[in-house]
Amino acid sequence: MKKLILSTIAMASLAFVANAVTSYMYVKCVDGSVDEYDVEHVTELYYTETPIVDGVCVTGKEGLYTYVDLDLPSGTMWATYNVGATKPTEYGDYFAWGETKPKKDYSWSTYKWYDGISSVTKYRKGLIFDADNKTVLDAEDDAATANWGSAWRMPTIDEIEELRDGCSWEWVNDFNGSGVNGQLGTSKKNRATIFLPAASNRRGTILYNAGKDGYYWSSSRNQSYSNEAQYLKFSDGHHTDQYYNGYRYYGQSVRAVLR
């Protein structure tokens, strides 16, 4: 579904002109320019105070990175693109859970917190003496904080669920003419938008199904099993409505939130 989003700052007047063949809508801006739209191609018209940059809404900037206010109940502000990217349609970097740098090989043998036998050395559940029972990443192990600064962090699984429930989602091919596929979320409250590219994930040295799947880490460990952490997954043609537990060594996307 194509949507026309008009900033109230830029919009001065609307006029509809009809003839026997088709109808056109004209948007006259304060700088004197006029944009023309074929009414047959416009399925929805609404207004937002939030500017549109690279096809998505941008509310503000923290340090070098932009964010959007989706009017979520918690007030959480979401970054407009992935860690390692410079715009919404770039995949960005891939991170193993609890690591802060991308790498070539994502496996247990290269995982920072692997004990070399069968388990992990940090964020470890249990009753034994060396279990820390941590369930959320410390700042020093958070890829968003390490790469973007102390104002940013990875979202918890509860915040990912809030994002999922607070937006209406649609799968988009060739988003904004970029050739990139993914999920576009539109806030149910203020109509602001967020785009999650289908960057897939890395296991070993292979990138799987890029353009068809999206995997986004939370900062939350699997509550029951130390070797796994929780993440959002979506696939071609499916809504962003699922989260999973997966091995911590997987290389997956990170979308930051403001602290």
Side-chain angles (χ1 to χ4, degrees):
M1 179 176 67
K2 296 183 66 175
K3 297 177 180 178
L4 174 63
I5 306 175
L6 305 177
S7 169
T8 56
I9 298 174
M11 192 277 295
S13 64
L14 294 176
F16 292 87
V17 179
N19 57 41
V21 178
T22 189
S23 297
Y24 295 94
M25 180 179 71
Y26 297 94
V27 181
K28 186 175 182 180
C29 303
V30 294
D31 64 0
S33 63
V34 176
D35 294 327
E36 176 186 296
Y37 300 91
D38 184 338
V39 172
E40 291 183 359
H41 297 157
V42 177
T43 60
E44 186 173 354
L45 176 64
Y46 59 89
Y47 305 93
T48 175
E49 298 286 351
T50 309
I52 309 301
V53 180
D54 293 324
V56 297
C57 294
V58 175
T59 302
K61 193 172 186 179
E62 178 60 47
L64 300 175
Y65 312 103
T66 55
Y67 63 88
V68 59
D69 180 3
L70 298 163
D71 198 14
L72 300 172
S74 69
T76 301
M77 305 291 175
W78 283 79
T80 60
Y81 46 85
N82 292 347
V83 175
T86 61
K87 57 184 178 180
T89 50
E90 290 180 353
Y91 289 170
D93 292 326
Y94 298 85
F95 300 93
W97 190 84
E99 294 186 359
T100 59
K101 295 180 180 180
K103 54 189 180 181
K104 294 181 179 180
D105 181 11
Y106 294 84
S107 59
W108 279 127
S109 63
T110 66
Y111 183 57
K112 179 178 180 179
W113 304 112
Y114 185 58
D115 66 3
I117 304 174
S118 62
S119 190
V120 291
T121 59
K122 191 175 182 181
Y123 306 101
R124 183 171 179 173
K125 175 183 173 63
L127 300 176
I128 56 178
F129 71 93
D130 59 348
D132 55 37
N133 289 303
K134 291 176 180 285
T135 59
V136 178
L137 288 171
D138 293 332
E140 61 264 29
D141 303 320
D142 185 308
T145 305
N147 288 277
W148 282 14
S150 59
W152 296 93
R153 61 174 173 80
M154 292 166 61
T156 65
I157 196 63
D158 288 341
E159 289 168 331
I160 284 179
E161 289 188 74
E162 181 186 60
L163 174 68
R164 175 198 66 186
D165 296 340
C167 293
S168 300
W169 295 92
E170 60 178 317
W171 178 265
V172 179
N173 292 310
D174 189 24
F175 176 71
N176 203 34
S178 65
V180 175
N181 304 334
Q183 287 277 11
L184 179 66
T186 302
S187 169
K188 295 176 181 178
K189 292 288 188 67
N190 66 2
R191 310 294 291 176
T193 55
I194 187 170
F195 179 68
L196 302 178
S200 191
N201 69 1
R202 291 186 177 274
R203 284 165 275 168
T205 59
I206 299 173
L207 175 61
Y208 288 86
N209 291 326
K212 295 183 178 181
D213 301 316
Y215 297 81
Y216 284 79
W217 280 127
S218 77
S219 61
S220 304
R221 194 203 72 203
N222 182 339
Q223 296 290 318
S224 302
Y225 186 44
S226 298
N227 286 8
E228 294 182 347
Q230 297 181 296
Y231 61 88
L232 171 74
K233 178 186 176 183
F234 59 82
S235 299
D236 183 0
H238 293 80
H239 294 296
T240 308
D241 60 0
Q242 304 176 77
Y243 69 88
Y244 293 84
N245 294 297
Y247 286 126
R248 289 161 48 168
Y249 70 80
Y250 291 171
Q252 302 189 158
S253 301
V254 169
R255 180 60 65 93
V257 298
L258 280 173
R259 290 189 181 277

